[in-house]
Amino acid sequence: MKFSFIFRSVSKMDSSIKDNAIKFLNFLNDNPTPYHVVESARKMLTQAGFQELKITEQWSVRNGGKYFLTKNESTLMAFVVGGKYQNGNGFAVVGAHTDSPALKVKLVSKKSKVGYLQVGVECYGGGIWHTWFDRDLTVAGRVLLRQDDKVVQKLVHIKRPILRIPNLAIHLNRETNDKFSPNKENHLVPILATVVQEQLIKGQKDVKCSKNEENTNQASKHHSLLVDLLTNELKCNEEDIVDLELVLADTQPAVLGGALEEFIFGGRLDNQVGAYCTIKGLIDSVDQSDIENETIVRMACIYDHEEIGSESAQGAASSFTEHVMRRLNDSQTFEIAAARSFMISADQAHAIHPNYSEMHEENHRPSINGGIVLKYNGNQRYATNSISASILRESARLANVKVQDFMVKNDCPCGSTIGPILAAKLGLTTVDIGAPQLSMHSIRECGSSASITQMTNVLSSFYSNFTKIRNMFSNVL
């Protein structure tokens, strides 16, 4: 779904903010999975003149060059080599993540119960699972296909409602408004169709799934109705399917909301806001500053698996980042480069909630339209300290973007990000920031339209000005 709103009585700044928000909405609606996010980022970078590299091949990078590479097609790194870069000069890094809490289709998803065909799912990350009930759902992800003597990846996104997790009627559960605590294994199983209707359509005598049924291929582990939808979408045959990775997704598109269209209503704001603005900020920094006189490497990293701890081959806790950085230095200069580098971890932040304001610390209550949020936790759930916070504030000042402060209450647990992980692994001075939002990890979240412009501008300013800012802080870095 593409947006082309006409806004009345708005200033040039307002129009620009809304235009940027609409571009993000189109990105968000096109990308229901990390694989789609990486593919969209690839298109953005390619259009901006970046060259794709392969981690499995030798590189020949040049000063002033723009490059990117992927891992697992769900993690992407892009970098711009300054025209005057020398080994050891350091990196200006922004990191975000491509994944969001979701329901993933199980390896063997065929289920049949009391006349319904169902799809088995696994909970991924810390979702607010009750928000997935009574939503018009579909599937999206990647399918590996055999083409001649090669296996290729194809992205799939069925853009119509095919699944639903129905609530139990209040007449059968009078306590549902007082306590709704669904069992994640038994109650989060979406319905795909009825057995009777499939029999009528397909003429099958028995479509029930037997636990002892022998699977002859990967596709046979899933209902034939679901497989048919996939093969029709991909224009392939069932026997071409080598394997697949699918998640459930909401079919309702993200939109601008509120009486003044100041909000973004949609899923996966955590953390496609960060992923989109990280890539867009890097591209904008190239357009808006002098790369030929740049002395560092500007790097944008969007990782998979943040929501489950980042410990995977393509997660922020892997050696992938270090491997890429080492290939842009040599054995004598990598440690010097790391010491001269700085990282922004760009994830989402908790805006003050009008109905639960007591959940925020009284002096740290970011408003949803109040600017980018600087996140601090003394127990290092966030990597921010006074030095990294000051560097971030200077980047924001140069971009004319307001900064808000956030800390959790002492009696409230604190989430975390890729910031502390990469700070510890690589020794990078790091700051954690985010765009404020409500309903984090719900299937439908609520953010600010202005956040897209604010976050992009702060990150672009950081890339463009880090060399100068680093010199300001040289006595304490």
Side-chain angles (χ1 to χ4, degrees):
M1 179 177 181
K2 302 295 183 182
F3 293 83
S4 57
F5 296 110
I6 297 175
F7 300 104
R8 297 180 296 273
S9 302
V10 293
S11 68
K12 289 183 179 180
M13 178 59 71
D14 291 334
S15 178
S16 174
I17 287 172
K18 290 181 179 179
D19 286 346
N20 291 335
I22 290 168
K23 290 176 183 177
F24 169 71
L25 288 175
N26 291 329
F27 178 91
L28 186 62
N29 289 326
D30 284 343
N31 298 317
T33 75
Y35 310 112
H36 290 80
V37 172
V38 165
E39 181 58 27
S40 289
R42 172 186 277 118
K43 292 176 180 176
M44 291 171 65
L45 291 163
T46 301
Q47 187 174 4
F50 283 67
Q51 175 187 343
E52 184 166 5
L53 304 173
K54 301 294 183 183
I55 193 67
T56 56
E57 299 174 355
Q58 293 290 331
W59 298 347
S60 178
V61 301
R62 61 174 180 82
N63 284 29
K66 302 180 292 186
Y67 307 94
F68 72 93
L69 65 155
T70 67
K71 180 80 170 178
N72 189 52
E73 294 295 325
S74 61
T75 288
L76 180 145
M77 291 187 189
F79 58 90
V80 179
V81 183
K84 295 184 177 179
Y85 171 74
Q86 295 180 355
N87 289 348
N89 281 7
F91 299 84
V93 186
V94 179
H97 64 92
T98 60
D99 62 323
S100 303
L103 296 175
K104 305 189 76 169
V105 174
K106 287 185 174 180
L107 296 179
V108 182
S109 71
K110 263 199 263 193
K111 287 179 175 287
S112 182
K113 192 171 184 180
V114 294
Y116 290 99
L117 300 181
Q118 294 181 280
V119 176
V121 294
E122 177 187 23
C123 295
Y124 174 88
I128 305 178
W129 302 121
H130 71 80
T131 64
W132 288 71
F133 282 74
D134 292 336
R135 303 296 305 183
D136 299 336
L137 303 173
T138 187
V139 293
R142 68 172 172 182
V143 180
L144 301 182
L145 298 178
R146 186 177 289 105
Q147 290 186 354
D148 299 325
D149 61 342
K150 297 288 186 180
V151 173
V152 299
Q153 171 182 296
K154 296 291 185 181
L155 299 183
V156 65
H157 182 193
I158 308 296
K159 295 185 178 180
R160 68 179 181 88
I162 62 171
L163 295 165
R164 192 174 183 89
I165 305 172
N167 258 303
L168 182 64
I170 194 170
H171 313 79
L172 303 178
N173 180 16
R174 295 291 183 179
E175 297 181 351
T176 192
N177 287 324
D178 300 319
K179 183 181 69 172
F180 180 57
S181 181
N183 180 283
K184 290 185 285 188
E185 178 63 24
N186 300 326
H187 300 153
L188 277 173
V189 188
I191 57 175
L192 176 69
T194 61
V195 173
V196 170
Q197 187 67 15
E198 187 189 40
Q199 289 175 346
L200 290 172
I201 298 298
K202 289 199 158 189
Q204 296 178 352
K205 293 182 179 179
D206 185 9
V207 295
K208 291 185 178 180
C209 174
S210 169
K211 293 182 180 179
N212 298 319
E213 182 180 7
E214 183 178 354
N215 292 315
T216 58
N217 55 47
Q218 293 301 310
S220 66
K221 297 177 180 179
H222 309 277
H223 282 301
S224 60
L225 281 177
L226 180 58
V227 174
D228 287 347
L229 289 168
L230 298 174
T231 55
N232 289 337
E233 186 77 13
L234 296 171
K235 297 179 173 56
C236 69
N237 299 316
E238 179 179 327
E239 53 269 25
D240 296 331
I241 297 177
V242 176
D243 211 336
L244 49 82
E245 292 179 76
L246 302 175
V247 300
L248 271 58
D250 194 0
T251 58
Q252 184 178 356
V255 296
L256 294 183
L260 301 176
E261 295 183 317
E262 62 190 301
F263 304 122
I264 293 176
F265 299 155
R268 306 181 304 280
L269 300 183
D270 176 21
N271 185 36
Q272 287 195 34
V273 171
Y276 174 82
C277 294
T278 295
I279 299 300
K280 186 68 164 58
L282 179 64
I283 294 171
D284 286 355
S285 78
V286 175
D287 295 336
Q288 297 167 4
S289 60
D290 183 7
I291 292 299
E292 291 307 314
N293 287 313
E294 180 63 274
T295 60
I296 61 170
V297 174
R298 302 175 185 178
M299 179 175 285
C301 309
I302 53 175
Y303 301 96
D304 197 3
H305 291 156
E306 188 274 346
E307 295 292 356
I308 55 172
S310 297
E311 293 188 350
S312 68
Q314 56 271 17
S318 73
S319 298
F320 183 42
T321 312
E322 180 181 345
H323 291 169
V324 173
M325 287 182 166
R326 284 189 179 277
R327 291 175 74 161
L328 298 175
N329 286 276
D330 56 40
S331 59
Q332 304 299 315
T333 59
F334 171 72
E335 287 78 10
I336 297 173
R340 292 175 174 174
S341 299
F342 187 91
M343 178 177 175
I344 294 177
S345 169
D347 209 336
Q348 291 294 88
H350 300 292
I352 185 69
H353 194 305
N355 301 336
Y356 300 92
S357 59
E358 69 278 5
M359 301 305 295
H360 273 66
E361 205 279 334
E362 61 181 351
N363 291 322
H364 300 86
R365 295 183 167 187
S367 67
I368 198 164
N369 285 331
I372 297 305
V373 178
L374 195 156
K375 301 188 285 187
Y376 179 85
N377 180 262
N379 295 302
Q380 289 299 289
R381 298 294 288 170
Y382 303 130
T384 307
N385 61 26
S386 59
I387 296 172
S388 64
S390 299
I391 291 173
L392 183 281
R393 289 193 187 98
E394 180 63 14
S395 298
R397 184 190 69 81
L398 293 171
N400 195 30
V401 174
K402 292 182 179 179
V403 176
Q404 307 180 86
D405 297 321
F406 175 76
M407 294 179 68
V408 298
K409 297 167 63 178
N410 286 321
D411 57 0
C412 179
C414 182
S416 192
T417 70
I418 63 171
I421 294 171
L422 285 162
K425 187 172 184 63
L426 297 175
L428 302 180
T429 302
T430 302
V431 65
D432 269 290
I433 68 171
Q437 72 164 81
L438 301 171
S439 306
M440 191 178 293
H441 288 195
S442 171
I443 195 172
R444 297 285 289 184
E445 299 172 323
C446 176
S448 166
S449 303
S451 289
I452 307 305
T453 297
Q454 293 168 344
M455 181 65 81
T456 302
N457 288 351
V458 166
L459 299 183
S460 179
S461 172
F462 163 69
Y463 283 127
S464 300
N465 297 299
F466 175 64
T467 303
K468 179 175 65 176
I469 296 172
R470 182 176 64 179
N471 187 55
M472 290 174 56
F473 288 84
S474 59
N475 288 336
V476 290
L477 278 174

